[in-house]
Amino acid sequence: MNGAESLVRTLAGGGVDVCFANPGTSEMHFVAALDQVEGIRSVLCLFEGVVTGAADGYARMTDKPAATLLHLGPGLANGLANLHNAKRARSPIVNIVGEHATFHRQYDAPLTSNIEALAGEYSGWLKTSINSRSVASDGASAVVAAMTPPGQIATLILPADTAWGVGGGIAGVPVPPSRAKVADERIRAAAEVLRPGRRTLLLLGDRSVRHEGLTLAACIGARTGAGLLAETSNARMSRGAGRPAIERVPYLVDAALKTLADYEHLILVGARPPVSFFGYPGQPSELQASGARLHVLADASEDQIDALARLADLVGAPARYQTPAPAPRLELPRSGGLDPASIAQVIGALLPENAIVCDESVTTGRNFFPATHGSAPHDWLQLTGGSIGLGIPLAIGAAVACPDRQVIALQADGSAMYTVQGLWTQARENLKVLTCIWSNRSYAILHGELAAVGVKSLGRSAVDLLSLDRPAIDWVGLSQGFGIQACRVETSEEFARAFRNGLEANGPCLIEVMI
Amino acid sequence: MNGAESLVRTLAGGGVDVCFANPGTSEMHFVAALDQVEGIRSVLCLFEGVVTGAADGYARMTDKPAATLLHLGPGLANGLANLHNAKRARSPIVNIVGEHATFHRQYDAPLTSNIEALAGEYSGWLKTSINSRSVASDGASAVVAAMTPPGQIATLILPADTAWGVGGGIAGVPVPPSRAKVADERIRAAAEVLRPGRRTLLLLGDRSVRHEGLTLAACIGARTGAGLLAETSNARMSRGAGRPAIERVPYLVDAALKTLADYEHLILVGARPPVSFFGYPGQPSELQASGARLHVLADASEDQIDALARLADLVGAPARYQTPAPAPRLELPRSGGLDPASIAQVIGALLPENAIVCDESVTTGRNFFPATHGSAPHDWLQLTGGSIGLGIPLAIGAAVACPDRQVIALQADGSAMYTVQGLWTQARENLKVLTCIWSNRSYAILHGELAAVGVKSLGRSAVDLLSLDRPAIDWVGLSQGFGIQACRVETSEEFARAFRNGLEANGPCLIEVMI
């Protein structure tokens, strides 16, 4: 057994059952080993940003790592932007990067670069294997590191000769540490600021925005009068009928300041302190009211569900305490033109039971949350790190993780272009992904951002840098070119019909929604 | 005048006349300043790898830097792979990366990362501006750094408030240093190893593979009997009728070892010592014969042309010394199927006068050099760093730099997929680029590489990771989706007809060549 086979068998034994790959020469033994070993599904992606974004989506839905397979420094570099998003989502990933054979590095061949320097920024764990006999135990360490709360990117750099040399046998993967329980004093401190008469917000993030956490938080809110909000961007949020209807901190600074203005205390549950996405002239970066106090109930690496349960007990709000009535499911709009409001209405009405929504809608999607509180129960995955180009890969990972569920990708056109090659992988794997492209043919967000930073008037050059017309991108043509059936819609009636057809398709579909 | 305007005016004054851009919020003032200032052409690219690859192509054809405009750490990350190639090509680039406002960084907002850590690996010069009054002088320093021989990537990180704050006026850009002259003793040492009876090779790279350097080298070779070879990958090589017909060090290790086996001395002129691209089991990394001696006539930062001219004088081979007769121009093949040989014949016959060839052909192109020695005079640009996904962007940069010349992009299908979004920019700017996609629907190079690393047999999983079929990518559909006219050819006659039509088009075209 060579090093590569010992590593692949170790990963498989440790529960890694998918490898999203874009291999090159230095990874050929790893590829051959994937052939030899049962239990790891290989998924080819035609660009490394698709690989890493798919691994993020897989991790969000399974809470365990997929492996990636990337080719040397530039291959890693192409994957970094979606590793940025994955790090912000705290997704566990075993990120495998091939490297020149150890004896070859010193010659500075054309593809040589300092892989560790490139990987450091987004890796919670990082190691270059140095020989074929220890590569399996390095792989076991990577799996544990990836699974260590709150979840992180474990990068294993694999010189080619550690793959082709004699392996040291399969390594056992230890059980990763579990989430730490929060000390009693923090529970009591939170209960203290939840006393009547105080204006307190529970700000939820990480695991607390899944079903159990939301339910507990809603019970606490109903009992104490505390407000409830989720972070602006969440890795995976449970939503729809039967789940508490909880809004997010708004993206726009003015709206966020207004939303948070009333609260004297913010209790953070897996959430970071609320800050604006960008800094703007004359605007504060911190979004809580001036003088408001922040309290941490549980951070992202701690057991947020346990902490919420204990807090609920302490304030006399056990689970199944009375929560607000569920939001109603929307009706379909009457036929008419498409805009963010009518699009939201169609989605709210038609979102199927148990859907996984991968949302990279940017400007078009700012009102999707209110419209979908009453939809059938679903999970909602967002762009956690703000690096656009995640949506298409994220949908791949979610669909590979959950083959029995419908994935709905809500996708801005400008953002889709960064990882458009991912459509091909959706076609090859025949994934149940319905992609809706919001075709506004511009970087619409930047028009608003220009005004927000104080730019008053734009000339031709600036307008050209924000627009995607001249020529308009034909998303139906692109989609078909990658092997995915597609159509274009211009009214809400057409959109609803195409959406229903897409749900019935036996594989991926794309709808270009003209707005 | 704000900081952004002072910077843009400084860049324009320093000769920077193009900005390849993929901006976001933090770059909005820079975008507005591009509006205010005459003399800098803004070119929007829909992915950052297109931005940096285009800047590389522009630099190779003009020997001066374009500016880039990238959005924060992930935007830079997406551009790194082609910065890797640009660094290996020694292309001057003023690489501008927007950053959060200085007061906002401490809050670790979602798009925050350590940009300097990401930029360090490929930047010869790196600075974060700290205030709006000094940003213009930082920009001037970046231009000089980019132009400092042998040419490098100068990364200027631009916090948003240094762009919107009050500027300090336009800064003058000093004259960059010129290339150092080589000491006489190195010229004499080279002449010594060129004496009769020694088996000596002139290995040419960097500036020595342009017209003047090649001519001088050919004179020296004709006078002394020395062999002549160019490096395997060259940033820009002058070729075709009237230029010496010089081959390259072969990519395949066995062929390279055989080619170099006879030489006792290698004189490096702007070239690196010859090493294999990858390390293989049981193969040497160094390609020269065992015991052969390496001599540096001039390194890449030195004046290679001057050194060659002085060497030519010393060995009695002034320019216009007798050189070999030019290679004949190929005839078109009779009609028949398409394979690497017949494709090479079509290109050899039809390459137009003064064309710029951007070659990312990978396996399909290994025989293009012999077939084009006798073509009309042209420049040939290669993949210098081995990071695939350069071809389409490189063609953009070359076409923007040289609007009166025809750009021919020879493009492997797998590699094209990494930066396919670049086709849209070719359409928007109506660039005179004729792209030939070698559609073999596989990572063909990896089949050979698998054998080279010793992998004997492949199962279904491994075969799937090397093939691009299931589904086949429809390049005609993709190209049209991006606004570029396209056709598909299956015989050499069809290819020749389509190639001629493409040369007559008033803008970009694409030919999907089925092989």
Side-chain angles (χ1 to χ4, degrees), chain A residues 100-107 161 164, chain B residues 278-285:
Chain A
H100 282 312
T102 53
F103 62 82
H104 193 62
R105 266 199 59 86
Q106 63 188 301
Y107 298 104
D161 50 344
W164 77 54
Chain B
F278 293 106
Y280 298 95
Q283 292 269 33
S285 293

Side-chain angles (χ1 to χ4, degrees), chain A residues 1-7 131-137 161-171:
Chain A
M1 185 182 327
N2 64 18
E5 189 176 336
S6 74
L7 173 60
N131 75 63
S132 55
R133 293 194 180 274
S134 56
V135 68
S137 71
D161 50 344
T162 66
W164 77 54
V166 176
I170 303 167

Side-chain angles (χ1 to χ4, degrees), chain B residues 39-55:
Chain B
I40 297 191
R41 173 179 178 185
S42 304
V43 178
L44 176 61
C45 305
L46 302 186
F47 173 69
E48 296 87 347
V50 182
V51 169
T52 52

Side-chain angles (χ1 to χ4, degrees), chain A residues 234-257:
Chain A
N234 298 279
R236 172 179 152 199
M237 188 167 178
S238 305
R239 306 189 64 251
R243 280 89 181 258
I246 292 179
E247 275 295 336
R248 297 170 295 158
V249 176
Y251 171 83
L252 297 174
V253 178
D254 285 342
L257 291 170

Side-chain angles (χ1 to χ4, degrees), chain B residues 87-145:
Chain B
K87 180 185 176 189
R88 295 278 166 174
R90 307 182 185 97
S91 291
I93 295 177
V94 174
N95 184 43
I96 298 176
V97 186
E99 166 62 305
H100 282 312
T102 53
F103 62 82
H104 193 63
R105 266 199 59 86
Q106 63 188 298
Y107 297 104
D108 194 36
L111 258 173
T112 306
S113 52
N114 184 340
I115 302 178
E116 290 194 359
L118 294 170
E121 175 63 7
Y122 298 121
S123 301
W125 182 96
L126 172 61
K127 184 167 186 185
T128 301
S129 276
I130 54 167
N131 76 62
S132 56
R133 293 193 179 274
S134 56
V135 68
S137 70
D138 291 339
S141 299
V143 175
V144 172

Side-chain angles (χ1 to χ4, degrees), chain A residues 3-278:
Chain A
E5 189 176 336
S6 74
L7 173 60
V8 170
R9 289 194 186 279
T10 296
L11 296 177
V16 175
D17 53 18
V18 173
C19 178
F20 297 100
N22 186 254
T25 297
S26 37
E27 294 75 55
M28 285 298 100
H29 282 90
F30 193 97
V31 167
L34 287 170
D35 248 3
Q36 306 297 318
V37 177
E38 293 284 317
I40 298 192
R41 173 179 178 185
S42 304
V43 178
L44 176 61
C45 305
L46 302 186
F47 173 68
E48 295 88 348
V50 181
V51 169
T52 52
D56 185 9
Y58 179 90
R60 294 192 198 189
M61 295 312 301
T62 61
D63 296 325
K64 67 176 194 173
T68 64
L69 187 60
L70 306 173
H71 183 46
L72 298 171
L76 171 64
N78 279 334
L80 287 175
N82 274 336
L83 289 181
H84 171 96
N85 288 319
K87 180 186 176 187
R88 295 277 166 174
R90 307 180 185 98
S91 291
I93 295 177
V94 175
N95 184 43
I96 298 176
V97 186
E99 166 63 305
H100 282 312
T102 53
F103 62 82
H104 193 62
R105 266 199 59 86
Q106 63 188 301
Y107 298 104
D108 193 36
L111 258 173
T112 307
S113 52
N114 185 338
I115 302 178
E116 290 194 0
L118 293 170
E121 175 62 6
Y122 298 120
S123 302
W125 181 95
L126 172 61
K127 183 167 187 185
T128 301
S129 275
I130 54 167
N131 75 63
S132 55
R133 293 194 180 274
S134 56
V135 68
S137 71
D138 291 339
S141 300
V143 175
V144 173
M147 294 286 283
T148 298
Q152 55 188 357
I153 296 159
T155 297
L156 177 63
I157 301 171
L158 192 63
D161 50 344
T162 66
W164 77 54
V166 176
I170 303 167
V173 175
V175 176
S178 51
R179 285 167 185 267
K181 304 290 186 206
V182 165
D184 281 335
E185 67 188 87
R186 269 202 266 158
I187 309 284
R188 284 196 299 270
E192 180 65 22
V193 295
L194 285 166
R195 285 192 312 175
R198 298 191 169 182
R199 298 194 301 278
T200 300
L201 175 74
L202 282 170
L203 183 56
L204 309 172
D206 196 64
R207 295 299 174 90
S208 75
V209 298
R210 297 195 192 168
H211 188 83
E212 199 176 357
L214 290 172
T215 303
L216 288 163
C219 292
I220 294 168
R223 176 73 179 86
T224 64
L228 300 171
L229 279 176
E231 288 189 292
T232 307
S233 294
N234 298 279
R236 172 179 152 199
M237 188 167 178
S238 305
R239 306 189 64 251
R243 280 89 181 258
I246 292 179
E247 275 295 336
R248 297 170 295 158
V249 176
Y251 171 83
L252 297 174
V253 178
D254 285 342
L257 291 170
K258 194 171 162 203
T259 300
L260 297 177
D262 280 342
Y263 295 109
E264 301 166 310
H265 297 274
L266 276 65
I267 298 175
L268 306 178
V269 192
R272 298 179 179 90
V275 300
S276 64
F277 204 88
F278 293 107

Side-chain angles (χ1 to χ4, degrees), chain A residues 22 25 29 35 84 88 104 108 110 114 121 276 285 417-418 421 424 428 449 459 462 464 467 469 471 474 481, chain B residues 22 25 35 84 88 104 108 110 114 121 276 285 417-418 421 424 428 449 453 459 462 464 467 469 471 474 481:
Chain A
N22 186 254
T25 297
H29 282 90
D35 248 3
H84 171 96
R88 295 277 166 174
H104 193 62
D108 193 36
N114 185 338
E121 175 62 6
S276 64
S285 294
M417 194 44 65
Y418 289 71
Q421 313 89 340
W424 181 86
R428 170 176 270 199
E449 296 290 343
D464 273 359
S467 67
D469 56 1
D474 168 13
Chain B
N22 186 254
T25 297
D35 248 4
H84 171 97
R88 295 278 166 174
H104 193 63
D108 194 36
N114 184 340
E121 175 63 7
S276 64
S285 293
M417 194 44 65
Y418 289 71
Q421 314 89 340
W424 180 87
R428 169 176 269 199
E449 297 289 342
V453 296
D464 272 359
S467 68
D469 56 0
D474 169 12

